[in-house]
Amino acid sequence: MTAEDLLLGLLIFAASILYSSVGHAGASGYLAAMALFGLAPEAMRPTALGLNIIVASIAVFRYSRAGQNDLKLLLPFAAASIPAAFIGGSIDIPPAYYRPLVGIVLIFSAIQFVRTARQAVAVDATAHRPPLPASIAAGGALGLLAGLTGTGGGIFLSPLLLFMRWAPTRHASGIAATFILLNSISGLAGTSFSTAVLPAALPIWGVAVLGGGLIGTQLGTRMLPVPGIRYALAAVLVVAGAKMIFT
């Protein structure tokens, strides 16, 4: 265990708190931290997915217990995304393509955090369920992207649900957490057919996200994070995304 491993663990811990407070498991944050420390691409994807599973499990339990979930709405999204995430996870992506792909995902994530920094807490009374074909198509596309990049897809599903008014604001976090959990399990299983490797420090980072997930979900079921936190997190994602694209 090196000093760099411990410092990276602290960043991962902080990311798990911030992301889990809004129903996300933190994969884009973990990828950003690993990118800043120059971890090999073949280690980044399975590591992010494994950490995702820990945090998303906590988030699903707590958001569901708080009544902030909707499994019926999630079902068609998940039915298409689970096999797609497995396929995405099993595909080996050369570093020359993986780095810019993840960089784009990180910058997109930053944009979403800025756009939702001052989002209202109130339940949207006009929310309506999406058409079945739209749910299946979106689920398949997001699942494939989740497996390819090592994210759970929630960073894309949440804004989609809110923008299309397919779910009330309070339920979007719980739905995203469950979506992330299922896709992360499927994507990690898919990486067993690729050249993925796991870093030696992964158990330490697992403990870090366990603690961060417990703290973040406790905050998230009671309050939204302050806008300043989202702006700061967005800045980190932009820096890491740019590093992945241009390095």
Side-chain angles (χ1 to χ4, degrees):
M1 180 64 62
T2 66
E4 283 193 353
D5 291 335
L6 292 176
L7 182 56
L8 180 52
L10 289 176
L11 293 178
I12 287 173
F13 172 70
S16 65
I17 294 175
L18 297 174
Y19 277 82
S20 60
S21 69
V22 292
H24 296 166
S28 58
Y30 311 145
L31 290 170
M34 289 185 282
L36 292 174
F37 278 78
L39 260 70
E42 58 268 22
M44 292 174 63
R45 181 166 55 164
T47 298
L49 289 170
L51 298 177
N52 249 17
I53 292 171
I54 297 173
V55 179
S57 298
I58 300 170
V60 169
F61 173 76
R62 284 196 159 165
Y63 282 100
S64 298
R65 191 176 181 182
Q68 299 174 11
N69 205 343
D70 189 337
L71 296 180
K72 289 183 179 179
L73 190 154
L74 171 71
L75 183 59
F77 286 97
S81 71
I82 292 173
F86 181 88
I87 293 171
S90 66
I91 298 174
D92 277 321
I93 306 178
Y97 298 102
Y98 179 76
R99 288 184 177 276
L101 177 62
V102 172
I104 291 170
V105 169
L106 295 180
I107 292 174
F108 178 85
S109 301
I111 294 172
Q112 298 311 309
F113 274 106
V114 171
R115 289 182 62 244
T116 60
R118 298 188 179 279
Q119 185 173 303
V121 183
V123 175
D124 186 354
T126 65
H128 58 279
R129 293 189 178 279
L132 183 60
S135 299
I136 294 175
L142 297 184
L144 182 63
L145 183 61
L148 285 171
T149 60
T151 64
I155 196 70
F156 301 100
L157 180 62
S158 292
L160 177 65
L161 292 175
L162 297 175
F163 177 76
M164 299 299 294
R165 299 185 182 273
W166 285 346
T169 304
R170 289 182 183 275
H171 290 176
S173 294
I175 294 169
T178 310
F179 187 77
I180 291 167
L181 175 60
L182 296 174
N183 288 333
S184 296
I185 293 172
S186 181
L188 185 60
T191 62
S192 63
F193 293 90
S194 68
T195 57
V197 296
L198 295 175
L202 182 58
I204 301 299
W205 300 339
V207 173
V209 297
L210 176 62
L214 290 171
I215 296 171
T217 52
Q218 182 72 11
L219 295 173
T221 54
R222 288 165 172 77
M223 67 186 76
L224 289 179
V226 296
I229 293 177
R230 290 197 172 200
Y231 288 133
L233 186 56
V236 172
L237 292 176
V238 168
V239 172
K243 185 176 187 294
M244 290 294 287
I245 293 173
F246 298 109
T247 300

